[in-house]
């Protein structure tokens, strides 16, 4: 039982539980908080995967910025929303649920049948998963996507402002 | 100017015999012969109403007159020694021929058709007849159609017809000839249905066109088969040294001018050796064709098929059995039209075609027998129908069919010159007869029933005299005029011909011809006597008819004169090739020498030539007596027997007359056997296939099904995003499952 | 040693839970959050494979996913606000203008 395995199981179970809470919670506020928790535990898992930079970004951006935005919107719209009556069993929900379970089964089977893994890196290399490595990749090979994403963010900002304004 | 040199010649006849016309210039200008009437047609058609009646008359007559002048120049130029045509098909040039290739019409793969015009003695005779008689009829029409509203349309169509007929006659290849062939068919339709406001007349035009079309179909298929034949011939002769090399020049010509040029076909068939004498491996008429759609047939059999199809085409155009039914109905058109198109020119196109491809015809005894028998049967059948007709134009129509039958008899047995001679004389006297009939109608308020006419000789002297001359010409009664000589030339040639394989045909044809000649004299005598002699019928419309004015009588006189003087060409006054030849035979010798050469080589037909005047006198006497008998019988019956008060025709006689009047019910037969089933099929196709199947089931049915399905399927569109997501999830699951299964296999 | 397969299973599980939530929950905001959950599952997959291959391409992909998710969240929430303002409800069952 190495530390890695222990940490994986702890974080893994926590993530799963958090996800279930997101889906199953009554009020959207509870779902949001559960999601924040899920993100934190995911960040932990990312660290286990030696993706340190991404883990930090996950916390900073996802849990820090996006979820804050979510919470703001929930609180903004909280006056009018009240959780509605019990879910009605509709045929579409049945199909959806069944498909999801099926998909899970298929994916599980597919994953178990994966060929035995190749050479895993013996230990963390000095620069694997660091911000330096990520930066080198993003600013050289993937410069175009990077620029495109920045443009996308600009458009998103403008779009958000325009769409959400009460009066243009 | 070259023409004025002529005046310094020793004598006028020297001048005519050796005209100082540059043959090359004439050959370059051949297109003018066709272009002038065409331009006249365009002007009359487009501007006729603006220009007024007098101007339109002038333009139309001048166009045809100009064309006549140029044809005359071409005719004269052909007599020059230097009139030779160098074709790309062989080294030796053709003598007494002129021509020019005006460019490519179309070229597809190995096939091409050129705008080539060529004139030789045969085409010259035809062109002169067409333009000369055409000019006279145009002049006649200016008076006959003087009060018609649509005069501009009439002259446009008439000029167009002349242009198309000249194209037919001057073309040097089959596709271009076919253009003229179809063109004259079109003009015939337009002119028959000229007074289209009367539905019956319009339907007569339609009938003419449809029946013609059947013939055209035969012609087209014949052309296609001929192209295949030429292609197979080309391919198979390449393999055999002697024959193959001899044809090299021909192949070069084919590349340049196309496979259906007359000169090319001529060259090709001249290199076919007769079967017994052929060296091993050479292509003869008995060689089977080895590949392609004609595989399995011999060259001779395929050629026979081609010729029979051309006969179908000629039967349609020249109103032979079984496609003659349109010609009597075509009398619904104006009389000058009947004279020009349905007597003198268009209906002779079939005879001209066979004279042109005579060198092909003589290779196939079966085709020759068929042509001759069809001609003979038609001659007799039509003559019998003419006995019972009371309409003056219908008698002349059936007479035309009968005389055309004579021409086909001659063509079928290899006596081409006689057929062309009869064609020319027939043009003269038949046009004269038709125009005379028109004059009679004009003076009698358009009365066509001969039972209601009579005794017109006194009041319409010119018409009567010219009609009499033309009647004597056609029948040969007492005075031998041009028709006598031409018909006898045919009968003589037919009697002297020996056809291979079908030995009984010439004799049978000759006998039928003699009977038909008797009948000709009878019915034309009947016609003349009932119209011009005797007492005026009490049912006449006009009490005192008047003679027509000069634009109508002068052409009549000219045509009657031609009917008389053309007899000169039928006298055997030229001594050449060891015997006495008639002028016309000698004139057409450059054209007919090749078919005759082939006849000798392949032994398909042998014609015992008349040695001299004594032979001719014998046949002339026989024919004279027959014509005399026919005419006398007509005279006896119609001047004495029937007019007598107590002599009524017997019941049998009346029944026969009724049958003859109804054309022996051929029209009724076609109606029952062909027209009704076609209409029934058409009706079925309309009701069942078109209305029910296509319209209701396919078109409306598809729309109905689509609408029904849509009303059901639209419930899928719930607007609920989550149900859409559910469907997507389902699809994803299924796809992933499928991929997994595939990978795991 | 935690094999890649464990991480992948976890990612699959998260993805399916997210998908289930998208189809079942009626509050638009919660649906959105489940979508984010699915995105994160994808990120996890990327990173797991990146570790297996020893390659940083997976990191770059995850980086871009995070950036795009941020943009998408901004716009999506703005749209939700606009929808709420015009319809007064966030219940997806009642936002059905594309019904036949």
């Amino acid at each position: 039982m190495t530390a890695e395995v222990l940490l994986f199981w702890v974080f893994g179970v926590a993530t799963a539980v958090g996800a279930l809470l997101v889906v199953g919670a009554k009020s959207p506020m509870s779902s949001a908080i559960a999601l924040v928790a899920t993100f934190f535990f995911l960040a932990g898992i990312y660290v286990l995967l030696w993706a340190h930079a991404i883990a930090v970004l996950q916390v900073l951006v996802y849990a820090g910025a996006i979820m804050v935005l979510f919470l703001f919107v929930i609180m903004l719209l909280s006056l009018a929303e009240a959780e509605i009556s019990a879910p009605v069993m509709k045929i579409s929900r049945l199909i959806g649920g069944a498909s999801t379970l099926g998909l899970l089964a298929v994916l599980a089977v597919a994953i178990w049948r994966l060929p035995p893994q190749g050479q895993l890196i013996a230990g963390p290399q000095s620069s694997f998963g660091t911000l330096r490595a990520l930066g080198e990749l993003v600013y050289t090979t993937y410069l175009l996507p990077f620029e495109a994403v920045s443009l996308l963010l600009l458009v998103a900002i403008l779009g958000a402002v325009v769409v959400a304004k009460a009066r243009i | 100017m070259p023409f004025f040199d002529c005046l310094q010649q020793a004598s006028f006849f020297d001048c005519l015999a050796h005209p100082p016309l540059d043959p090359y210039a004439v050959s370059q200008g051949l297109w003018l012969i066709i272009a002038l009437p065409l331009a006249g047609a365009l002007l009359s058609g487009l501007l006729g109403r603006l220009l007024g009646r007098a101007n339109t008359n002038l333009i139309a007559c001048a166009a045809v007159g100009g064309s006549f002048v140029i044809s005359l120049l071409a005719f004269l130029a052909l007599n020059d020694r230097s009139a030779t045509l160098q074709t790309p098909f062989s080294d030796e040039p053709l003598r007494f021929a002129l021509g020019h290739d005006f460019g490519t019409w179309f070229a597809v793969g190995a096939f091409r058709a050129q705008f080539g015009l060529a004139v030789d003695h045969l085409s010259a005779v035809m062109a002169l007849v067409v333009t000369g008689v055409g000019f006279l009829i145009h002049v006649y029409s200016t008076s006959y159609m003087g009060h018609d509203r649509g005069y501009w349309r009439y002259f446009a169509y008439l000029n167009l017809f002349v242009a198309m007929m000249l194209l037919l006659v001057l073309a040097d290849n089959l596709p271009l000839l076919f253009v003229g062939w179809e063109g004259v068919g079109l003009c015939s339709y337009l002119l028959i249905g000229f007074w289209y406001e009367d539905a019956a007349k319009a339907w007569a035009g339609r009938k003419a066109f449809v029946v013609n079309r059947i013939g055209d179909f035969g012609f087209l298929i014949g052309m296609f088969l001929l192209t295949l034949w030429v292609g197979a011939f080309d391919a198979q002769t390449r393999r055999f040294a002697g024959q193959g090399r001899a044809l090299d020049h021909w192949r070069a010509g084919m590349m340049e001018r196309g496979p259906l040029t007359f000169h090319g076909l001529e060259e090709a068939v001249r290199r076919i050796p007769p079967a017994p004498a052929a060296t091993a491996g050479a292509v003869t008429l008995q060689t089977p064709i080895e590949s392609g759609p004609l595989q399995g047939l011999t060259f001779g059999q395929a050629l026979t098929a081609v010729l029979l199809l051309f006969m179908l085409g000629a039967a349609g155009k020249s109103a032979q059995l079984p496609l003659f039914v349109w010609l009597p109905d075509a009398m619904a058109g104006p009389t000058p039209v009947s004279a020009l198109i349905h007597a003198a020119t268009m209906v002779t196109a079939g005879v001209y075609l066979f004279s042109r491809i005579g060198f092909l015809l003589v290779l196939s005894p079966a085709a020759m027998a068929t042509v001759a028998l069809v001609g003979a049967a038609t001659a007799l059948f039509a003559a019998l129908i003419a006995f019972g007709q009371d309409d003056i134009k219908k008698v002349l129509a059936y007479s035309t069919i009968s005389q055309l039958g004579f021409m086909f008899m001659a063509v079928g047995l290899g006596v081409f010159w006689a057929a062309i001679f009869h064609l020319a004389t027939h043009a003269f006297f038949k046009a004269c007869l038709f125009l005379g009939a028109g004059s009679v109608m004009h003076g009698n308020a358009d009365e066509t029933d001969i039972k209601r006419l009579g005794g017109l000789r006194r009041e319409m002297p010119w018409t009567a005299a010219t009609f009499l001359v033309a009647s004597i010409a056609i029948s040969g009664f007492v005075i031998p005029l041009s028709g006598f000589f031409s018909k006898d030339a045919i009968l003589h040639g037919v009697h002297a011909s020996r056809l291979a394989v079908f030995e009984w045909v010439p004799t049978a044809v000759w006998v039928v011809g003699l009977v038909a000649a008797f009948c000709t004299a009878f019915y034309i005598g009947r016609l003349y006597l009932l119209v011009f002699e005797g007492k005026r019928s009490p049912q006449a419309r006009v009490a005192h008819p008047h003679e027509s004015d000069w634009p109508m009588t002068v052409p009549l006189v000219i045509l009657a004169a031609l009917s008389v003087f053309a007899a000169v060409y039928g006298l055997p006054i030229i001594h050449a090739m060891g015997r006495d030849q008639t002028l016309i035979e000698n004139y057409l010798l450059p054209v007919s020498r090749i078919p005759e050469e082939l006849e000798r080589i392949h032994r398909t037909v042998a014609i015992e030539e008349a040695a001299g005047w004594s032979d001719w006198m014998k046949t002339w006497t026989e024919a004279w007596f027959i014509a005399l008998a026919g005419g006398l019988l007509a005279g006896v019956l119609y001047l004495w027997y029937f007019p007598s008060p107590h002599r009524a025709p017997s019941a049998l006689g009346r029944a026969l007359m009724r049958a003859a009047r109804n054309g022996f019910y051929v029209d009724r037969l076609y109606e029952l056997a062909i027209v009704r089933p076609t209409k029934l099929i058409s009706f079925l196709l309309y009701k069942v296939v078109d209305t029910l199947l296509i319209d209701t089931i396919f078109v409306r049915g598809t729309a109905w099904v689509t609408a029904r399905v849509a009303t059901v399927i639209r419930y899928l569109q719930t607007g609920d995003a989550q149900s859409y997501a559910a469907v997507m999830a389902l699809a994803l699951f299924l796809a992933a499952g499928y991929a997994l299964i595939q990978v795991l296999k | 040693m935690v094999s890649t397969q464990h991480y992948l299973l976890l990612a699959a599980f998260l993805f399916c839970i997210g998908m289930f939530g998208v189809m079942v929950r009626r509050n638009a905001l919660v649906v959105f959050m489940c979508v984010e959950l699915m995105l994160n599952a994808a990120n996890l997959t990327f990173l797991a494979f990146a570790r297996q291959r020893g390659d940083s391409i997976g990191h770059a992909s995850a980086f871009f996913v995070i950036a795009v998710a941020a943009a998408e969240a901004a716009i999506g929430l703005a749209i939700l606000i606009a929808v709420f303002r015009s319809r007064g409800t966030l219940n997806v069952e009642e936002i059905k203008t594309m019904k036949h």
Side-chain angles (χ1 to χ4, degrees):
Chain A
M1 184 64 89
T2 62
E4 190 195 1
V5 174
L6 179 66
L7 281 174
F8 171 74
W9 278 107
V10 168
F11 284 144
V13 169
T15 311
V17 167
L20 285 168
L21 279 176
V22 167
V23 172
K26 282 269 181 246
S27 79
M29 183 63 102
S30 322
S31 294
I33 302 296
L35 193 59
V36 174
T38 311
F39 285 160
F40 268 110
F41 289 123
L42 258 179
I45 296 199
Y46 289 171
V47 170
L48 283 175
L49 284 173
W50 302 324
H52 315 294
I54 300 294
V56 169
L57 279 176
Q58 169 91 348
V59 172
L60 277 176
V61 173
Y62 243 120
I66 295 176
M67 289 320 297
V68 168
L69 186 59
F70 260 103
L71 285 166
F72 272 140
V73 172
I74 291 172
M75 285 189 278
L76 193 66
L77 304 177
S78 69
L79 289 165
E81 58 89 12
E83 191 50 45
I84 312 100
S85 48
V88 178
M89 187 55 68
K90 283 203 297 204
I91 194 117
S92 59
R93 293 194 186 188
L94 208 57
I95 293 176
S99 313
T100 314
L101 287 173
L103 187 64
L104 182 58
V106 167
L107 286 172
V109 169
I111 290 167
W112 272 125
R113 300 291 191 115
L114 272 180
Q117 56 190 40
Q119 283 289 78
L120 263 190
I121 307 156
Q125 288 157 318
S126 57
S127 71
F128 181 76
T130 58
L131 202 54
R132 183 200 198 91
L134 182 63
E136 271 174 4
L137 207 53
V138 168
Y139 281 108
T140 55
T141 321
Y142 298 112
L143 185 60
L144 180 60
F146 176 74
E147 297 296 338
V149 164
S150 57
L151 192 62
L152 177 71
L153 285 167
L154 175 65
V155 169
I157 293 169
L158 289 171
V161 168
V162 168
V163 169
K165 255 169 105 66
R167 255 189 298 264
I168 297 180
Chain B
M1 276 206 50
F3 244 132
F4 293 135
D5 293 345
C6 192
L7 300 172
Q8 292 163 354
Q9 292 275 349
S11 83
F12 184 63
F13 290 105
D14 268 343
C15 188
L16 275 182
H18 305 285
L21 287 167
D22 181 15
Y24 181 68
V26 170
S27 69
Q28 294 286 79
L30 282 176
W31 63 278
L32 276 174
I33 300 182
I34 300 170
L36 276 175
L38 200 56
L42 276 171
L43 279 174
S44 304
L46 295 174
L47 303 173
R49 262 208 277 202
L50 283 173
L51 294 172
R53 198 178 286 272
N55 288 328
T56 313
N57 291 344
L58 184 66
I59 292 174
C61 294
V64 182
S67 197
F68 176 71
V69 167
I70 302 181
S71 307
L72 196 58
L73 288 178
F75 171 78
L76 292 173
L78 280 176
N79 294 331
D80 194 307
R81 294 242 158 240
S82 62
T84 54
L85 177 59
Q86 181 65 45
T87 66
F89 296 102
S90 84
D91 279 326
E92 41 166 302
L94 292 169
R95 299 209 37 224
F96 299 116
L98 292 171
H100 189 76
D101 183 25
F102 288 98
T104 308
W105 176 12
F106 66 91
V108 179
F111 184 88
R112 73 194 301 142
Q114 302 279 103
F115 286 123
L117 298 179
V119 63
D120 56 7
H121 280 177
L122 173 61
S123 304
V125 167
M126 292 291 301
L128 282 177
V129 166
V130 170
T131 49
V133 176
F135 176 71
L136 291 172
I137 292 181
H138 273 77
V139 171
Y140 181 95
S141 303
T142 58
S143 171
Y144 191 83
M145 304 295 283
H147 297 294
D148 196 291
R149 277 186 314 137
Y151 64 91
W152 48 276
R153 208 162 36 99
Y154 175 83
F155 279 108
Y157 293 158
L158 211 58
N159 266 9
L160 183 64
F161 169 81
V162 173
M164 287 288 123
M165 188 70 203
L166 288 168
L167 181 63
L168 195 159
V169 159
L170 293 175
D172 83 341
N173 55 54
L174 270 172
L176 199 60
L177 188 147
F178 189 62
V179 173
W181 185 276
E182 296 249 348
V184 297
L186 170 71
C187 293
S188 164
Y189 160 74
L190 290 170
L191 283 165
I192 294 173
F194 181 70
W195 290 307
Y196 56 84
E197 280 130 358
D198 180 351
K201 296 194 163 80
W203 287 338
R206 179 184 73 175
K207 182 175 178 179
F209 194 75
V210 170
V211 176
N212 244 262
R213 215 70 193 107
I214 300 174
D216 290 351
F217 164 76
F219 192 113
L220 267 175
I221 306 293
M223 262 208 294
F224 298 157
L225 283 182
L226 190 60
T227 315
L228 289 173
W229 190 91
V230 168
F233 184 74
D234 182 21
Q236 281 184 236
T237 49
R238 274 177 207 268
R239 301 204 292 255
F240 307 112
Q243 199 183 28
R245 260 203 310 273
L247 284 167
D248 277 338
H249 210 120
W250 171 68
R251 289 205 182 91
M254 258 223 316
M255 286 296 124
E256 221 182 283
R257 294 284 185 90
L260 290 178
T261 317
F262 294 123
H263 300 128
L265 289 168
E266 216 171 44
E267 280 303 310
V269 299
R270 284 174 78 189
R271 307 266 180 263
I272 301 180
T279 53
V283 173
T284 67
L285 287 175
Q286 268 72 34
T287 318
I289 299 178
E290 281 160 23
S291 66
L294 294 173
Q295 187 176 7
L297 296 170
T298 65
F299 279 100
Q301 286 173 337
L303 198 56
T304 308
V306 169
L307 289 165
L308 288 175
L309 284 166
F310 278 139
M311 183 63 213
L312 184 64
K317 189 66 75 187
S318 300
Q320 297 297 291
L321 241 57
L323 296 173
F324 67 92
V325 289
W326 63 272
L327 193 51
D329 283 51
M331 297 298 117
T335 310
V337 166
S338 307
L340 181 61
I341 300 184
H342 306 124
T345 43
M346 179 180 108
V347 291
T348 57
V351 181
Y352 170 75
L353 174 70
F354 273 111
S355 305
R356 255 287 158 245
I357 59 172
F359 49 86
L360 287 179
L361 186 63
V362 298
L363 294 175
S364 166
M368 290 179 80
T370 314
V371 173
L373 286 172
V374 166
T378 311
L380 187 57
F381 192 68
L384 290 175
I385 298 181
F387 282 4
Q389 298 299 316
D390 286 334
D391 184 318
I392 192 176
K393 286 178 73 173
K394 287 236 165 72
V395 175
L396 294 176
Y398 282 108
S399 168
T400 306
I401 301 176
S402 181
Q403 298 302 307
L404 287 167
F406 272 98
M407 293 180 221
F408 274 98
M409 277 162 56
V411 162
L413 289 171
V415 201
F416 299 106
W417 65 270
I420 300 298
F421 186 37
H422 195 61
L423 194 158
T425 58
H426 175 262
F428 299 143
F429 56 66
K430 194 44 71 63
C432 185
L433 286 170
F434 263 110
L435 295 184
S439 176
V440 165
M441 284 163 61
H442 201 72
N444 283 282
D446 286 335
E447 176 66 71
T448 56
D449 190 339
I450 56 180
K451 291 271 164 62
R452 298 195 183 166
L453 295 166
L456 289 176
R457 184 159 53 98
R458 288 169 283 279
E459 281 125 341
M460 302 179 81
W462 285 104
T463 310
T466 52
F467 203 91
L468 182 62
V469 168
S471 304
I472 293 179
I474 189 177
S475 59
F477 180 74
V478 182
I479 310 169
L481 297 178
S482 60
F484 172 79
F485 287 109
S486 61
K487 208 173 327 146
D488 184 70
I490 293 178
L491 291 172
H492 175 83
V494 165
H495 188 50
S497 133
R498 303 278 168 264
L499 190 59
V501 181
F502 302 92
E503 277 114 27
W504 53 276
V505 170
T507 325
V509 166
W510 178 67
V511 169
V512 170
L514 287 176
V515 176
F518 175 82
C519 295
T520 307
F522 181 80
Y523 66 67
I524 209 75
R526 168 178 180 265
L527 184 64
Y528 175 77
L529 292 171
L530 280 178
V531 173
F532 290 101
E533 299 289 340
K535 286 199 295 287
R536 200 98 172 91
S537 160
Q539 295 150 320
R541 282 188 203 172
V542 173
H544 292 288
H546 60 91
E547 181 62 269
S548 316
D549 53 344
W550 70 265
M552 287 170 78
T553 48
V554 167
L556 282 175
V557 170
I558 296 179
L559 286 169
L562 282 170
S563 310
V564 173
F565 289 119
V568 166
Y569 275 92
L571 298 171
I573 51 182
I574 295 198
H575 192 85
M577 293 167 64
R579 55 188 167 90
D580 287 318
Q581 289 184 333
T582 58
L583 258 178
I584 186 76
E585 182 181 359
N586 184 271
Y587 186 69
L588 288 175
L589 215 46
V591 180
S592 57
R593 83 183 157 87
I594 293 180
E596 281 173 14
E597 177 190 317
L598 288 169
E599 282 169 14
R600 268 195 305 275
I601 295 175
H602 292 267
R603 308 226 183 130
T604 47
V605 149
I607 302 186
E608 294 169 4
E609 302 294 352
W613 276 81
S614 56
D615 273 336
W616 281 108
M617 286 304 290
K618 216 170 12 149
T619 51
W620 285 341
T621 327
E622 282 171 7
W624 190 82
F625 272 113
I626 290 176
L628 188 67
L632 281 178
L633 184 61
V636 159
L637 278 178
Y638 288 98
L639 279 181
W640 174 69
Y641 189 82
F642 286 131
S644 318
H646 304 293
R647 307 285 177 82
S650 65
L652 177 64
R654 261 182 284 131
L656 285 173
M657 277 291 273
R658 216 174 327 123
R661 188 169 310 130
N662 289 322
F664 294 116
Y665 305 112
V666 171
D667 267 323
R668 196 81 76 79
L669 175 70
Y670 282 167
E671 168 85 26
L672 282 174
I674 298 173
V675 176
R676 288 244 184 103
T678 311
K679 282 196 180 164
L680 180 67
I681 293 176
S682 161
F683 177 76
L684 279 176
L685 283 174
Y686 166 60
K687 275 275 177 266
V688 174
V689 176
D690 196 29
T691 309
L692 182 62
L693 236 121
I694 297 176
D695 208 28
T696 309
I697 295 183
F698 283 137
V699 175
R700 292 213 210 118
T702 332
W704 183 85
V705 166
T706 312
R708 289 278 152 279
V709 168
T711 48
V712 171
I713 293 186
R714 69 186 168 118
Y715 288 108
L716 276 179
Q717 194 163 8
T718 54
D720 180 11
Q722 284 179 326
S723 57
Y724 297 163
V727 172
M728 277 192 257
L730 180 65
L732 182 62
F733 162 56
L734 289 173
Y738 178 73
L740 185 66
I741 293 171
Q742 292 299 98
V743 166
L744 288 179
K745 261 204 224 163
Chain C
M1 187 62 179
V2 186
S3 65
T4 315
Q5 288 171 319
H6 289 87
Y7 291 104
L8 291 176
L9 264 175
L10 178 62
F13 184 69
L14 283 176
F15 185 83
C16 290
I17 290 180
M19 197 158 82
F20 184 79
V22 165
M23 283 186 281
V24 169
R25 292 299 301 254
R26 279 162 300 138
N27 191 315
L29 280 166
V30 178
V31 167
F32 211 158
M33 283 191 261
C34 296
V35 171
E36 297 294 331
L37 198 51
M38 286 159 79
L39 281 169
N40 275 278
N43 263 354
L44 183 55
T45 314
F46 271 129
L47 294 171
F49 276 119
R51 186 182 77 145
Q52 180 176 333
R53 292 169 49 145
D55 212 320
S56 283
I57 292 180
H59 295 322
S61 304
F63 173 79
F64 287 125
V65 169
I66 292 175
V68 171
E72 171 222 0
I75 297 264
L77 288 169
I79 291 175
L80 273 178
I81 291 177
V83 165
F84 179 75
R85 208 179 282 134
S86 77
R87 279 179 209 285
T89 174
L90 278 179
N91 190 347
V92 295
E93 278 174 1
E94 290 170 26
I95 308 175
K96 287 208 243 186
T97 48
M98 275 174 62
K99 186 180 163 70
H100 70 90

